């Protein structure tokens, strides 16, 4: 079967190359038949890679340890679920999964075009096929997943205990789908320039793909954080690890692109800037892949050093060069259609949003790369601590909350000062009240005053109040018009889903910020050695230690501490698991959730009937998880709707020319620079 998998991948690589050749030929010869064949080749690539994934899954499930990837990442005693998810546990298998998702995306993009007249699609398909060729070359020639050995072991190495977790089973696929999803907007944008369609059509065509990628990245970051929170036993969920940062930066840039893309659609501005953001988002996704697979920086998330490091670095450099050349060559198409009329406008608010987001992204990039710079260019081994990132990114986040709230008070083009001030009176009042309350309550509760908390909670309250005010004004206007309250609320989300679901996403971000600030700035940590029957009170929760228990879980030894909450009668059972052959036990934390925060307990050690327990009090962390769920839920709702703008964009894409007897006449220059179009 391994040989079959190899043949399928080589077949997919051949079909990708064929698709590129047919597309180029079709563009130059203006042949619809060639484009039909190219589309079929792209679909064939998806089918072949799907077959290869099926073959590797079969090898994993049947424990065929003659396949090196199977032997390195599974063992006979793993459950069926863990064997299936081991596909993306190793470097080769995860790269195959990457190629699979990319092939499905590409097949959907070129197959979704029901008419051959869409002028951008062939160019976008060509770019997608080019990216596919690169990654298919990786899985065929550099890190093939079907490498076999002539002396297979009786049992495999098994799956890393840290990965035997349901959250880690879904976190990597979500991350890959987000990273790979950024390829499609990149293909639309660059394809539009090569097709000489420089207007705003590519923004509308790529909007949905950008939202899909952003939603997957958001879910992946949250799932990864929750895995770290429940699995690693250190009381936190984000460590500013290099690979975490590599996933965070594309998310930040994609967030900026979503907002500036709205300005381009509405006002025809930010055209060059959006192309640069598009390049940065896709480039950072490639860069994140490089960091994960190169072993260049130490991280719990990285694979061991892989031979794909050099090809990925060259691909990253080539992507940047290709993008910059394309933008410069077609700069005449990227002239803005209008100019700002006032600083009191949404255009300026969105510009400020972009500046703050890119400032945060650059801070993260600098902190991530500085250890490499200091090591390779300064000859010094240096590390960047968490405090650098929090102190660098935190102010940008606070200012972003202020900008989000202020943007609700301004309209497109221009707004009067009197109107903006009138709308912001209540949000400013609530924000100041929240900041004052934080400053007064903070010293008695945590015995110190942190101005970061004062500013952060005040900004979050301001942003939330401003957005709630927008909902209030919109609903009041509909009530005056005779709608019922239910009908008014329904009208907001059905007729204007982008605006009002977007407002809810902003509120969710503010809630997440409150959770981050509370749990980061006010976390309390206590380590105690307790004996049977001993009473302890942590974070206002009275508990009694009721001893230790031990049991077997398969071949693993599980040690459990039992803590009873004297106030509620509930039980907390932190434990650790000892895996054969693994000297370090794996913690299983116990968490008592509450709206005001979590009590987080780790069994750190056992000695002669005495348990060493680490207690973390994480104030307001529940607000972070709740805000994240609200954000992801709103994005899913937004994606499953079918807004009018999507239909209009597709109609425009298919109606930019004339179809005569099945041939499309392109009115702008084609690939070869003339004014001819497709012909049979």
């Amino acid at each position: 079967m391994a040989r079959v998998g190899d043949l399928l991948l080589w077949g997919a690589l051949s079909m990708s190359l064929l698709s590129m050749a047919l597309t180029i030929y079709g563009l130059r010869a203006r042949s619809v038949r060639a484009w039909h064949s190219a589309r079929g080749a792209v679909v064939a690539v998806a089918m072949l890679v799907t077959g290869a994934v099926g073959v590797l899954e079969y090898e994993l499930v049947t424990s065929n340890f003659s396949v090196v990837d199977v032997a390195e990442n599974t063992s006979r005693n793993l459950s069926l679920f863990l064997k299936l998810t081991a596909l993306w546990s190793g470097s080769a298998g995860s790269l195959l999964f990457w190629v699979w998702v990319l092939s499905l995306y590409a097949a959907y993009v070129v197959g979704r075009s029901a008419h051959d007249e869409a002028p951008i699609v062939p160019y976008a398909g060509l770019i997608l096929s080019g990216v596919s060729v690169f990654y298919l070359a990786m899985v065929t020639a550099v890190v093939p997943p079907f490498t076999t050995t002539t002396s297979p072991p009786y049992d495999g190495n098994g799956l890393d205990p840290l990965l035997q977790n349901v959250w880690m089973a879904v976190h990597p696929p979500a991350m890959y789908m987000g990273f790979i999803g950024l390829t499609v907007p990149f293909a639309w944008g660059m394809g539009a320039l090569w097709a000489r369609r420089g207007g705003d059509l590519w923004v509308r065509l790529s909007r949905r793909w950008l939202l899909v990628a952003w939603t997957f990245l958001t879910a992946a970051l949250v799932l990864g954080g929750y895995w770290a929170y429940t699995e690693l036993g250190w009381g936190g969920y984000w460590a500013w690890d290099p690979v975490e940062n590599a996933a965070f930066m594309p998310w930040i840039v994609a967030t900026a692109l979503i907002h500036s893309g709205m300005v381009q659609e509405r006002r025809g501005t930010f055209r060059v800037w959006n192309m640069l953001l598009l390049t940065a988002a896709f480039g950072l996704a490639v860069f994140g892949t490089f960091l994960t697979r190169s072993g260049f920086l130490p991280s719990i998330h990285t694979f061991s050093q892989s031979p794909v490091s050099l090809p990925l670095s060259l691909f990253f450099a080539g992507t940047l060069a290709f993008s910059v050349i394309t933008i410069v060559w077609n700069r005449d198409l990227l002239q803005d259609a209008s100019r700002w009329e006032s600083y009191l406008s949404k255009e300026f608010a969105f510009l400020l949003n972009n500046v703050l987001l890119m400032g945060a992204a650059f801070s993260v990039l600098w902190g991530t790369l500085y250890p490499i710079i200091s090591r390779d260019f300064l000859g010094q081994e240096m590390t960047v601590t968490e405090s650098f990132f929090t102190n660098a990114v935190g102010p940008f986040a606070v200012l972003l909350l202020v900008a989000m709230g202020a943007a609700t008070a301004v309209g497109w083009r221009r707004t009067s000062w009197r109107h903006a001030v009138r709308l912001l009176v209540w949000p400013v009042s609530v924000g100041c009240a929240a900041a004052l309350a934080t400053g007064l309550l903070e010293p008695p509760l945590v015995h110190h005053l942190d101005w970061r908390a004062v500013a952060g909670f005040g900004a979050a309250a301001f942003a939330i109040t401003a957005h709630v005010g927008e909902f209030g004004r919109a609903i009041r206007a509909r009530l005056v018009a005779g709608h019922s309250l239910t009908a008014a609320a329904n009208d907001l989300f059905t007729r204007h889903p982008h605006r009002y679901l977007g407002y809810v996403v902003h509120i969710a971000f503010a809630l997440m910020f409150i959770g981050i600030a509370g749990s980061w700035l006010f976390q309390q940590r206590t380590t105690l050695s307790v004996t049977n029957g001993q009473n302890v009170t942590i974070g206002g929760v009275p508990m009694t230690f009721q001893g230790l228990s031990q049991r077997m879980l398969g071949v693993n030894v599980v040690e459990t501490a039992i803590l009873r909450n004297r106030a509620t009668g509930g039980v907390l059972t932190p434990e650790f698991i000892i895996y054969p052959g693994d000297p370090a036990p794996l913690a299983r934390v116990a968490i008592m959730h509450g709206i005001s925060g979590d009590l987080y307990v780790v069994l750190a050690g056992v000695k002669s009937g005495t348990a060493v327990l680490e207690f973390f009090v994480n104030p307001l962390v529940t607000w972070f998880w709740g805000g994240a769920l609200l954000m992801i839920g709103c994005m899913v709702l937004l994606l499953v709707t079918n807004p009018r703008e999507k239909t209009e964009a597709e109609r425009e894409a298919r109606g930019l020319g004339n179809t005569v007897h099945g041939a499309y006449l392109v009115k702008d220059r084609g690939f070869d620079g003339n004014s001819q179009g497709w012909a049979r």
Side-chain angles (χ1 to χ4, degrees):
M1 288 294 288
R3 180 61 177 164
V4 173
D6 270 332
L7 291 174
L8 288 170
L9 289 178
W10 279 105
L13 177 59
S14 301
M15 294 302 291
S16 280
L17 290 169
L18 177 62
S19 173
M20 292 184 68
L22 287 170
T23 303
I24 293 172
Y25 171 76
L27 288 169
R28 295 194 67 83
R30 299 174 297 279
S31 169
V32 173
R33 185 174 295 120
W35 170 233
H36 273 302
S37 300
R39 281 170 46 183
V42 172
V43 175
V45 170
M47 296 173 64
L48 290 167
V49 178
T50 300
V53 169
V55 170
L56 186 55
E57 286 285 23
Y58 175 80
E59 304 286 35
L60 289 165
V61 170
T62 57
S63 298
N64 181 4
F65 298 123
S66 65
V67 178
V68 174
D69 194 66
V70 176
E72 289 181 347
N73 297 291
T74 64
S75 58
R76 296 184 184 277
N77 64 346
L78 284 181
S79 67
L80 176 62
F81 174 74
L82 290 177
K83 286 182 178 180
L84 290 171
T85 58
L87 172 67
W88 46 81
S89 299
S91 179
S94 62
L95 199 58
L96 174 60
F97 181 83
W98 183 288
V99 175
W100 181 42
V101 175
L102 177 60
S103 70
L104 295 176
Y105 281 173
Y108 185 85
V109 169
V110 301
R112 184 81 168 85
S113 177
H115 304 279
D116 300 309
E117 65 265 30
I120 300 177
V121 176
Y123 295 91
L126 181 62
I127 293 170
L128 289 170
S129 292
V131 176
S132 298
V133 164
F134 170 76
Y135 285 110
L136 281 166
M138 293 299 98
V139 296
T140 51
V142 182
V143 282
F146 296 104
T147 301
T148 57
T149 177
T150 55
S151 54
Y154 171 75
D155 202 358
N157 296 336
L159 191 63
D160 188 326
L162 287 173
L163 302 181
Q164 296 182 29
N165 180 288
V166 65
W167 303 116
M168 189 46 63
V170 294
H171 161 68
M175 186 65 70
Y176 295 159
M177 295 181 80
F179 272 1
I180 304 163
L182 292 173
T183 310
V184 179
F186 177 77
W188 281 126
M190 294 297 120
L193 292 183
W194 281 104
R196 300 292 295 173
R197 299 285 178 177
D200 308 323
L201 172 63
W202 75 267
V203 180
R204 293 193 288 277
L205 289 174
S206 63
R207 178 205 295 135
R208 202 168 189 83
W209 288 100
L210 185 59
L211 292 177
V212 167
W214 190 88
T215 302
F216 274 119
L217 282 174
T218 304
L221 292 169
V222 172
L223 288 168
Y226 196 73
W227 167 78
Y229 190 62
T230 59
E231 190 75 12
L232 299 184
W234 60 286
Y237 45 87
W238 189 264
W240 296 107
D241 175 277
V243 174
E244 293 175 351
N245 296 345
F248 188 38
M249 288 183 287
W251 182 89
I252 298 175
V253 177
T255 304
L257 181 57
I258 288 170
H259 289 82
S260 60
M262 294 169 60
V263 181
Q264 181 171 341
E265 282 191 77
R266 185 68 178 258
R267 300 283 293 142
T269 58
F270 293 4
R271 287 175 173 172
V272 173
W273 175 246
N274 283 336
M275 281 293 177
L276 294 175
L277 285 180
L278 188 68
T279 301
F282 178 67
L284 286 170
V286 177
F287 177 71
T289 310
F290 166 76
L291 276 188
T292 305
R293 298 175 185 280
S294 65
F296 213 55
L297 287 170
S299 168
I300 192 174
H301 303 82
T302 56
F303 299 104
S304 58
Q305 192 158 0
S306 166
V308 303
S309 304
L310 179 59
L312 276 172
S313 61
L314 294 175
F315 181 63
F316 173 69
T319 296
L320 294 183
F322 166 77
S323 303
V324 171
I325 291 172
T326 299
I327 293 170
V328 172
W329 188 266
N330 295 281
R331 61 188 181 278
D332 59 305
L333 300 176
L334 299 175
Q335 301 298 316
D336 287 347
S338 63
R339 297 190 179 278
W340 301 339
E341 298 182 23
S342 171
Y343 287 107
L344 275 181
S345 63
K346 284 199 182 297
E347 292 94 319
F348 181 75
F350 279 61
L351 173 64
L352 181 60
N353 159 288
N354 271 223
V355 169
L356 294 172
L357 286 168
M358 296 310 293
F362 179 78
S363 300
V364 176
L365 179 64
W366 176 252
T368 303
L369 294 181
Y370 187 74
I372 301 175
I373 296 171
S374 63
R375 181 188 66 201
D376 295 344
F377 295 97
L378 303 179
Q380 300 176 353
E381 292 287 344
M382 300 187 68
T383 58
V384 177
T385 63
E386 293 181 19
S387 61
F388 166 81
F389 291 103
T390 54
N391 291 330
V393 177
F396 286 111
V398 172
L399 291 174
L400 188 62
L401 286 168
V402 174
M404 281 168 41
T408 63
V410 296
W412 294 102
R413 301 181 66 176
R414 62 174 63 246
T415 302
S416 69
W417 279 99
R418 179 176 298 179
H419 177 77
V421 169
R422 180 174 59 83
L423 295 183
L424 291 178
V425 168
W426 272 108
V428 170
S429 301
V430 173
C432 290
L436 179 62
T438 302
L440 294 175
L441 296 176
E442 192 177 353
L445 293 176
V446 296
H447 310 296
H448 71 277
L449 178 63
D450 194 319
W451 287 105
R452 294 174 298 179
V454 174
F457 290 151
F462 167 76
I464 292 172
T465 306
H467 284 82
V468 170
E470 276 288 282
F471 279 102
R473 287 187 290 273
I475 290 176
R476 185 169 60 249
R478 285 159 176 78
L479 292 177
V480 170
H483 290 76
S484 67
L485 180 60
T486 303
N490 182 65
D491 184 68
L492 296 183
F493 293 106
T494 54
R495 297 189 62 184
H496 307 284
H498 280 109
R499 178 189 300 176
Y500 291 103
L501 284 174
Y503 284 164
V504 179
V505 169
H506 286 179
I507 293 172
F509 174 77
L511 294 175
M512 292 174 69
F513 179 86
I514 292 171
I516 293 170
S519 59
W520 208 286
L521 298 176
F522 304 132
Q523 183 187 70
Q524 300 174 34
R525 177 177 179 177
T526 306
T527 302
L528 296 175
S529 296
V530 294
T531 57
N532 194 14
Q534 183 174 339
N535 293 330
V536 296
T537 300
I538 303 293
V541 179
M543 293 171 287
T544 301
F545 177 60
Q546 295 186 329
L548 297 162
S549 68
Q550 190 177 91
R551 71 182 192 277
M552 297 299 297
L553 183 63
V555 296
N556 308 317
V557 179
V558 181
E559 193 83 39
T560 305
I562 303 171
L563 287 163
R564 182 170 296 277
N565 186 330
R566 298 198 304 274
T568 64
V571 175
L572 292 173
T573 55
E575 56 190 26
F576 61 70
I577 304 175
I578 302 173
Y579 291 85
D582 192 341
L586 183 65
R588 288 284 189 267
V589 304
I591 305 174
M592 186 178 76
H593 298 287
I595 191 171
S596 62
D598 286 356
L599 176 61
Y600 182 103
V601 188
V602 182
L603 178 58
V606 174
K607 184 177 180 181
S608 302
T610 300
V612 180
L613 298 173
E614 289 187 338
F615 298 91
F616 296 85
V617 177
N618 294 324
L620 301 176
V621 70
T622 312
W623 292 48
F624 172 76
W625 304 120
L629 286 175
L630 179 61
M631 178 180 289
I632 296 168
C634 285
M635 292 306 300
V636 171
L637 285 175
L638 183 58
L639 289 170
V640 299
T641 59
N642 187 28
R644 182 176 64 254
E645 294 88 348
K646 174 174 178 287
T647 303
E648 291 176 350
E650 291 183 346
R651 188 183 305 119
E652 183 180 348
R654 295 168 183 166
L656 286 173
N658 302 304
T659 302
V660 180
H661 302 301
Y664 180 68
L665 305 178
V666 182
K667 294 183 178 178
D668 289 338
R669 284 183 294 164
F671 186 84
D672 56 353
N674 59 39
S675 60
Q676 300 296 318
W678 293 98
R680 288 194 184 278

